[in-house]
Amino acid sequence: MPKPKDEQKLAAIHLQTMRLVNTTGFAALKMADVAQAAGIATGTLYVYYKSKEALINAVYLNTKLEIIDVLLDNAHANPDYFLTFKNMWTAYMQYCMQYPEKMLFVEQFIYSGLIAEEVIAQTEAKLIPLNQFLTYGQQKGLIKRMDIELIKAQMQGAITETIKFLTKQQQTLTAVQLNDCFAMTWDALRR
Amino acid sequence: MPKPKDEQKLAAIHLQTMRLVNTTGFAALKMADVAQAAGIATGTLYVYYKSKEALINAVYLNTKLEIIDVLLDNAHANPDYFLTFKNMWTAYMQYCMQYPEKMLFVEQFIYSGLIAEEVIAQTEAKLIPLNQFLTYGQQKGLIKRMDIELIKAQMQGAITETIKFLTKQQQTLTAVQLNDCFAMTWDALRR
DNA sequence: ATAGTAAATGAATAATTATTCGACTTACAT
DNA sequence: ATGTAAGTCGAATAATTATTCATTTACTAT
């Protein structure tokens, strides 16, 4: 039996790839840099990923799935729709503040033309429960009756832009500001 | 007297740079491709811009300033704050739908690490009137009293994300949808 | 222990691509 | 008309960087 792949190395590769992309931009991402930052040889990187493109796609998929899990894990079947929504949104926002590099990495690559169509499709499929949750809110007369995609764009866009701003300023939201931001999003969506 | 630089070539360079970045992603942007798409020789490109980085920065600055102009040109001193706000937002959104490539290009580069700090500062300075307009709305008790930057993030994020979605779907908003989107943004900001 | 297998290494190589350069053309002032 | 400063061209060059590969190392099952 052979020596197994090292989970820690894999984790280091993912972390450093995100870190490098977020600090120096994608244009400057070099395989040799990733390897060095992860503490392995350049050639070793190719044991784990057959190309730079494969590396980016793997980190993207991994991260995006993790983010979606955070979002949906908090969609508990609470009888109070508003509370459920607030819990979901808040948990998601807090996660994004805790790991802005993950959120920003994903954002940077959705429209980069580098992510395989199949990978995009896979992540979108996993988001179906969110659509159902919003549709249910519309049926109960709590959410504005308009295209679900426009509603999601409003919500996600606000979060993304806020995180970008916070990252640039190297700060996070106070509890009051977190509530303020939620108020804006809820007021935008409520009927 | 020498032969002057060709304004049409310059315009073609800018247009094709944006087009290429938006269709194939920044990673795939090659100077030779830009030159070919603009109908000039590779060497000629270097008459207009001394490096790839200078090219990107110029296209960024140009485009960003144009977008800010659209936004502020519509901030007429209308006595009705709501109407002024609605006009501004609508004109901005319509412009973004008409030239999504400009908006997406700018978005893609703000956090790329490629745009010079000085260029970013220059564009932000030009946005001061928008801050004043929002502060005025707060003073009149029409806009929620919270950090202006969080308010801007809410507005800008929603627009950006919506344009990204529309572009992916190759569609634009119907008149009804445009109103719906405005309603969400206004409800988010109003007291 | 030991053999077998795959991971790990990093220098060498292959590709890719930004940039330069010398020959040539063009537009304008005189 | 003519000189000239600058534009134009695209092949050649210089850099950069992804990828390969011969070799070494480490792990696991027997």
Side-chain angles (χ1 to χ4, degrees), chain A residues 1 8 20 28 46 51 81 104 108 114 116 120 127 144 185:
Chain A
M1 272 292 145
Q8 292 196 339
L20 284 170
Y46 284 83
S51 68
Y81 190 86
L104 295 179
Q108 187 154 153
L114 273 165
I120 302 270
L127 270 172
K144 289 191 176 84
T185 290

Side-chain angles (χ1 to χ4, degrees), chain A residues 5-53:
Chain A
K5 281 184 186 167
D6 188 333
E7 280 305 320
Q8 292 196 339
K9 285 202 181 77
L10 201 59
I13 291 169
H14 281 222
L15 175 65
Q16 298 303 332
T17 299
M18 274 191 310
R19 208 182 56 73
L20 284 170
V21 166
N22 287 327
T23 53
T24 64
F26 171 69
L29 186 73
K30 285 152 213 158
M31 295 298 266
D33 289 351
V34 172
Q36 187 178 37
I40 60 175
T42 343
T44 308
L45 199 44
Y46 284 83
V47 170
Y48 291 83
Y49 295 107
K50 72 168 195 286
S51 68
K52 184 175 172 178
E53 194 182 330

Side-chain angles (χ1 to χ4, degrees), chain A residues 28-150:
Chain A
L29 186 73
K30 285 152 213 158
M31 295 298 266
D33 289 351
V34 172
Q36 187 178 37
I40 60 175
T42 343
T44 308
L45 199 44
Y46 284 83
V47 170
Y48 291 83
Y49 295 107
K50 72 168 195 286
S51 68
K52 184 175 172 178
E53 194 182 330
L55 168 64
I56 296 291
N57 272 272
V59 177
Y60 177 87
L61 181 59
N62 221 271
T63 310
K64 181 76 181 183
L65 290 179
E66 183 183 316
I67 289 176
I68 294 175
D69 275 339
V70 171
L71 192 58
L72 298 182
D73 274 5
N74 288 283
H76 306 119
N78 189 316
D80 187 332
Y81 190 86
F82 170 79
L83 278 183
T84 306
F85 185 92
K86 183 167 185 175
N87 286 342
M88 265 181 73
W89 186 92
T90 305
Y92 181 50
M93 186 56 143
Q94 280 172 334
Y95 171 87
C96 290
M97 281 195 285
Q98 194 173 356
Y99 305 106
E101 72 281 2
K102 295 185 179 183
M103 137 80 77
L104 295 179
F105 179 88
V106 163
E107 268 301 308
Q108 187 154 153
F109 279 90
I110 301 176
Y111 295 91
S112 70
L114 273 165
I115 305 301
E117 204 47 60
E118 146 211 1
V119 171
I120 302 270
Q122 191 177 341
T123 59
E124 285 188 358
K126 216 183 168 189
L127 270 172
I128 291 176
L130 176 61
N131 287 21
Q132 293 171 333
F133 178 75
L134 292 171
T135 304
Y136 176 62
Q138 288 180 322
Q139 285 163 355
K140 287 189 73 171
L142 298 169
I143 301 277
K144 289 191 176 84
R145 292 179 182 279
M146 46 183 77
D147 191 327
I148 292 282
E149 293 303 324
L150 296 181

Side-chain angles (χ1 to χ4, degrees), chain A residues 82 85-86 88-90 92-93 134 142-144 151-160 162 177-191, chain B residues 144 146 150 153-155 158 183-185 187-189:
Chain A
F82 170 79
F85 185 92
K86 183 167 185 175
M88 265 181 73
W89 186 92
T90 305
Y92 181 50
M93 186 56 143
L134 292 171
L142 298 169
I143 301 277
K144 289 191 176 84
I151 290 178
K152 286 200 300 187
Q154 177 86 20
M155 246 192 322
Q156 179 63 56
I159 290 180
T160 304
T162 302
Q177 287 177 317
L178 184 67
N179 260 314
D180 283 351
C181 284
F182 175 73
M184 284 198 280
T185 290
W186 177 251
D187 284 350
L189 303 205
R190 75 195 287 190
R191 275 193 83 184
Chain B
K144 288 191 177 85
M146 46 183 77
L150 296 181
Q154 176 86 19
M155 245 193 322
M184 284 197 281
T185 291
D187 284 350
L189 302 205

